Every structure is written in structure tokens, then in C-alpha cells.
Amino acid sequence: MSTPNPRPDAPASPHEPGPALAPALDRRGLAGGIGAYTLWGLLPLYFPLMAPAGAVEIIAHRIVWSLAFCALLLGLTRGWRPFLTVLRSGRTLVLLTAAALLLAVNWLVFVYGILTDQVVDAALGYYINPIVVVTLAVLVLHERLRPAQWVALGFGAAAVVVIAVGYGRVPWIALTLATSFGAYGLLKNRVGRTVTAVPGLAAETLVLTPLAVGYLVWLHAAGLGAFGAHGTAHTLALVGSGVVTAVPLVLFNTAARRLPLSLVGLLQYIAPTLQLVIGVAVLHEQMPAARWWGFGLVWVALVLLAVDGARQGHVDRLARRSAAAAGRGSAAAGPADGTPAPGGTGNPLSPGAPRRPAR
């Protein structure tokens, strides 16, 4: 019987640390993350296809067809049991109901911004979202911020003031998008990772569907509905809103499960960058100096947050490695009476020693 091999990153001896191998980047997770944020970034090109439908009608269709597409995905992936588990959990359903209302506000303001030629403001909203998340951490979770985070908040606040003063109005679309999505993320964090992407979105759209269906019925009864009244392409665009909602979320879920959180945090800037480019280069929205100065301040804040997050992540990893090394040393030494530790002989090559599971 052959002796089992030690872990590739195991020390050569108890007194000599060996080199730790960096985990290979998951290509499927990276493709999922890039795909998700790219699709979200291209949405300003999709929603104008639904005109002359208004923002509320578009969102109503988005809710209904998202639920239909989620139901199809649940059937294909055998995800009905997790979905029904969500519905049976009172606390989870309450949190998802609140999250659904915030999501509806976010969707509505985003589509309104696109239809009224304010894509740049929408992009600003998703740029400042990380700053809003840090603010919510202070106000709601009572977390203590590091100095760099306080400086980043100062830059973010200065950006809003510069844009408001220079442009003559408060960027309410950007602030609403950032606040609603930040609060939505906070509630989803409270739900936890037990609720995955498709069952979660299915539950949220199920909560909103009675309101959406009621509005669509009233709209068509009044002869004001756009569905089916402007050709096949327009109707398919409304139906497709469910697909363009669910598919990026599924791709993001793949990325979130396979990539380091720090990398996912960097990928998120793909979406607002594409939206900014579309707003300026494709839709030719105005970019006066105040806007550029405001965006510049936001970008400085984001760099500060990214650098501070990377530094803190490095410190946390070192602390975890030290704790793990101390734990392995205690386990190898065994109890004070010299007997082997439970579950093994103290020899890392023995069959009783823990080994990394095969992948």
C-alpha cells in the first residue's frame, strides 16, 4: 500500500516552512464576472428599444418576464426545492420583500435615466455605490472605518457637491441608484449565501408580480399599453427584458462563487465605465467641466478604497496563515503528556493526517 502524498504546499519539515502555491485563477469565474458586468454596462443600449413604452411599463414587464425566465431556469436546474425553502422561511421572505422594493426603485430610476438621456448620471451612481456601501456600514452596521476609508468618503462627498454646484442641480439619479443598490446589497447580505441567485431573484420578482400585473392590466384596459401595439420586434424586446435581467445575475453568481472578492470588486467598474462611454460617445450627452471634476474626485476615492482594501486583505491573510500555522503546530505536538493528537499520529504523512480533498 502506497504512502499518501502530502499537500503540495505542506512544509518539508515541522521547522522549515515551504513555499505556498498561489491558487490558479478560475477562468470560468473570470468569464462569468466579465460577462455579467459587460451585459449590465450595455443596458443603456437595450432599454431605448422599448420606446414608446414608459419607464413604469418597462419595469412592470421586466418583473413579469424575469419571473417567467427564472421559473424556466428553476425547472432546468432542478432549483424548485431551494425556491420553496425561501418561501417557507418567514424571516428570509421578509428580507427579500424589502430587497425587492429597493430593487424596483433601482430599476425604475435607472430606466428613467436612460429614457431621459441621463445615462452619465446613471453611470455616476454605480461608480459611487462602493462609497455608499461604506457609508451604510457606518450608519447601519456601526462599523469603524480606517483612515483611508474616511478620506475616500470625503472625496465622494466633495464630488457630489462639485457636480451639484457646477451643474446647477443635485445628481439625484446617481444618488438614488447608489443608495437603493447599496441598501439592497445590505439586505441581501443579511439573507446570507444560502439563497442563491436564481431562487432569490425568483422570490423577489414573485413579490413584485401582483403589482406589475395589476398595472399592466390597468394600462391595457385604458388603451395605453404598448405591448403588442408596435410590432413584433418591440414585443420581443419587452419579453427579452426578463432574459437580460436574469442572465447577468447567473453569470455574476458564477463569478462570486469562484473568484476572490477583491477581484469581483474590481470587475464591478466595467459596468459604469461602459455606461459612461455609451453616454458620452454614443448618445452624446454633455460633459461640462464640473462633471469631469466630479468624476475625477470619485475615481480618486475608489482608488483609495481599492488600495486600502487590498492592504487590509493582505494583513488579514497573514493573520489567518499565522493562526493556521499555530494550530498545526499545536496539533502536531499533541497533548502535554506526549500522546499523539486525536485523529492522527503527529506525522503529516500518516493515513490519519488531514489532506486536501481532491477537486
Side-chain angles (χ1 to χ4, degrees):
M1 178 177 174
S2 61
T3 304
N5 292 325
R7 296 181 298 126
D9 57 347
S13 73
H15 306 289
E16 182 181 342
L21 297 179
L25 189 64
D26 191 298
R27 293 184 178 181
R28 183 177 175 185
L30 183 62
I34 294 175
Y37 285 113
T38 299
L39 290 175
W40 279 326
L42 295 176
L43 284 179
L45 297 177
Y46 184 81
F47 287 115
L49 300 177
M50 304 179 194
V56 179
E57 183 178 6
I58 290 173
I59 294 307
H61 278 287
R62 189 178 187 184
I63 291 168
V64 171
W65 297 113
S66 292
L67 178 60
F69 190 67
C70 284
L72 176 63
L73 290 179
L74 290 174
L76 294 175
T77 60
R78 299 180 180 178
W80 286 107
R81 181 172 294 180
F83 173 66
L84 295 176
T85 300
V86 170
L87 298 184
R88 293 191 189 104
S89 173
R91 175 184 176 277
T92 300
L93 193 57
V94 168
L95 289 173
L96 288 179
T97 298
L101 295 175
L102 289 168
L103 188 63
V105 170
N106 185 272
W107 285 357
L108 182 60
V109 173
F110 181 70
V111 172
Y112 172 82
I114 291 174
L115 297 182
T116 56
D117 299 324
Q118 299 180 79
V119 175
V120 171
D121 274 1
L124 177 63
Y126 290 112
Y127 270 128
I128 67 176
N129 178 65
I131 303 173
V132 170
V133 170
V134 172
T135 305
L136 290 174
V138 175
L139 299 178
V140 180
L141 303 180
H142 306 292
E143 293 184 2
R144 297 181 62 182
L145 298 187
R146 296 181 292 275
Q149 292 175 312
W150 281 114
V151 174
L153 286 183
F155 274 102
V160 173
V161 172
V162 166
I163 292 174
V165 173
Y167 206 56
R169 60 183 175 84
V170 175
W172 69 270
I173 289 179
L175 293 175
T176 304
L177 288 176
T179 304
S180 60
F181 200 67
Y184 172 78
L186 180 64
L187 288 174
K188 295 286 281 186
N189 180 265
R190 293 297 189 186
V191 170
R193 294 189 176 186
T194 54
V195 180
T196 54
V198 177
L201 180 62
E204 291 162 9
T205 51
L206 179 64
V207 169
L208 297 172
T209 292
L211 295 174
V213 170
Y215 177 77
L216 291 175
V217 169
W218 172 82
L219 203 63
H220 282 273
L224 303 174
F227 188 78
H230 300 281
T232 303
H234 183 267
T235 301
L236 291 177
L238 288 171
V239 174
S241 62
V243 178
V244 301
T245 297
V247 169
L249 192 65
V250 173
L251 293 175
F252 172 78
N253 190 55
T254 300
R257 289 173 177 270
R258 293 172 174 266
L259 296 179
L261 186 60
S262 58
L263 180 55
V264 176
L266 292 176
L267 291 177
Q268 71 176 314
Y269 299 119
I270 293 175
T273 300
L274 285 174
Q275 292 165 7
L276 177 62
V277 170
I278 289 171
V280 175
V282 179
L283 303 178
H284 307 292
E285 293 187 15
Q286 295 298 314
M287 282 293 290
R291 265 189 170 178
W292 283 118
W293 277 106
F295 271 87
L297 291 171
V298 168
W299 291 332
V300 170
L302 294 178
V303 169
L304 286 172
L305 288 177
V307 172
D308 179 71
R311 174 186 169 278
Q312 187 61 37
H314 179 67
V315 171
D316 292 342
R317 284 192 297 273
L318 289 178
R320 286 195 297 269
R321 288 175 185 173
S322 298
R328 286 196 298 268
S330 299
D337 61 1
T339 57
T345 64
N347 181 357
L349 299 182
S350 69
R355 300 190 301 276
R356 176 177 296 174
R359 295 184 179 232

